[in-house]
């Protein structure tokens, strides 16, 4: 029997999981804070990882405390992002191999990302992995963002499967909580922020890369 038989589909976060986008976003934010003489705001930036912008931006605005407007910070942030994106967007280790193996198994895959759907599709196309995904559900497709489960429930429905019959891959804390709340079997591959003891206690698989995680849940041999 194939190893994946107890799963009907596989759901993936994008930023920090499929694509190495969290790192340049974080570095650009650090450079922006330095340029605007705001001090060390790295803890704030880490807390924003995995959140939809309508949750993340109020956190940032609170941290700015009126020293700089949110609009001015975001404008400077964009400048540093463009500098860091000149060399393109990297795919995370093991991702292409896993996607190729799932395609060979004819196991449907979908993306469930806090990024807006159009922007996510553009990134997936640019990195040549869009072909592996039947659907993309973005943060603008749901009312309740991560850590609520709506985005994973929506992504599963887009494949006409039950989320409880899916394996979900995440990197961030909010995303992992969202996937777990949907009932999916969850593999967390941490990127910039390691899982807290509280998060680890939820009982999901924490792995150093997607291939190791996939083997641990018997998604692949």
């Amino acid at each position: 029997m194939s190893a994946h038989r107890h799963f009907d589909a596989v759901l993936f976060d994008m930023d920090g999981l499929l694509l190495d986008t969290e790192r340049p976003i974080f570095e650009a934010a650090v450079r922006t804070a330095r340029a605007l003489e705001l001090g060390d705001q790295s803890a704030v930036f880490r807390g924003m990882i995995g959140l939809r912008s309508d949750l993340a931006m109020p956190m940032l605005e609170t941290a700015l405390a009126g020293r700089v407007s949110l609009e001015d910070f975001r404008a400077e942030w964009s400048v540093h992002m463009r500098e860091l994106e000149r060399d393109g967007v990297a795919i995370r280790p093991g991702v292409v191999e896993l996607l190729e193996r799932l395609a060979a198994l004819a196991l449907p895959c979908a993306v469930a990302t806090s990024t807006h759907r159009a922007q996510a599709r553009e990134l997936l196309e640019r990195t040549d992995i869009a072909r592996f995904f039947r659907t993309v559900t973005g943060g603008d497709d749901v009312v309740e963002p991560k850590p609520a489960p709506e985005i994973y429930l929506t992504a599963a429905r887009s494949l006409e499967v039950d989320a409880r019959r899916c394996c979900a891959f995440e990197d961030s804390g909010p995303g992992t909580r969202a996937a777990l709340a949907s009932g999916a079997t969850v593999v967390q591959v941490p990127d910039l922020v390691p899982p807290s003891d509280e998060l680890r206690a939820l009982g999901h698989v924490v792995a150093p890369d997607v291939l190791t995680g996939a083997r641990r849940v018997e998604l692949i041999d």
Side-chain angles (χ1 to χ4, degrees):
M1 180 180 291
S2 299
H4 76 277
R5 285 294 175 85
H6 59 299
F7 295 112
D8 292 340
V10 187
L11 312 176
F12 291 89
D13 176 48
M14 184 183 73
D15 294 298
L17 187 281
L18 295 173
L19 304 178
D20 192 15
T21 45
E22 297 288 11
R23 209 168 304 274
I25 290 170
F26 179 84
E27 176 60 26
V30 169
R31 292 185 185 185
T32 300
R34 188 181 305 129
L36 296 176
E37 300 181 349
L38 296 171
D40 183 8
Q41 300 295 325
S42 57
V44 177
F45 304 145
R46 287 191 180 92
M48 294 162 58
I49 291 173
L51 297 177
R52 198 170 67 181
S53 61
D54 58 336
L55 295 183
M57 289 305 105
M59 293 173 58
L60 175 57
E61 190 166 27
T62 297
L64 295 177
R67 292 172 291 173
V68 177
S69 71
L70 181 60
E71 293 73 18
D72 287 347
F73 186 96
R74 294 184 72 172
E76 180 77 12
W77 195 358
S78 295
V79 171
H80 292 289
M81 275 298 303
R82 287 194 292 271
E83 292 174 354
L84 291 168
E85 287 179 342
R86 286 174 183 166
D87 294 330
V89 177
I91 301 172
R92 298 284 291 159
V95 165
V96 172
E97 182 178 346
L98 176 58
L99 293 174
E100 288 176 342
R101 293 187 65 172
L102 296 178
L105 292 169
L107 198 56
C109 296
V111 169
T113 175
S114 294
T115 298
H116 280 208
R117 175 157 37 98
Q119 182 182 354
R121 285 189 179 278
E122 190 275 330
L123 279 168
L124 295 168
E125 291 285 355
R126 197 196 316 170
T127 51
D128 195 33
I129 60 173
R131 55 198 166 93
F132 292 109
F133 302 103
R134 293 192 186 178
T135 65
V136 175
T137 301
D140 52 329
D141 291 316
V142 297
V143 175
E144 295 292 332
K146 300 175 183 181
E150 183 182 356
I151 195 163
Y152 276 100
L153 296 171
T154 302
R157 282 196 300 270
S158 74
L159 297 176
E160 300 182 336
V161 298
D162 188 324
R164 293 170 295 183
R165 298 277 301 167
C166 294
C167 180
F169 286 82
E170 266 286 352
D171 67 296
S172 72
T176 297
R177 290 181 185 280
L180 285 166
S182 76
T185 296
V186 180
V187 174
Q188 184 181 10
V189 181
D191 183 19
L192 294 179
V193 181
S196 64
D197 290 342
E198 179 187 6
L199 190 61
R200 284 180 177 273
L202 297 178
H204 60 290
V205 169
V206 179
D209 57 74
V210 293
L211 284 171
T212 301
R215 292 189 183 100
R216 288 181 182 173
V217 295
E218 300 181 342
L219 176 63
I220 59 173
D221 293 321

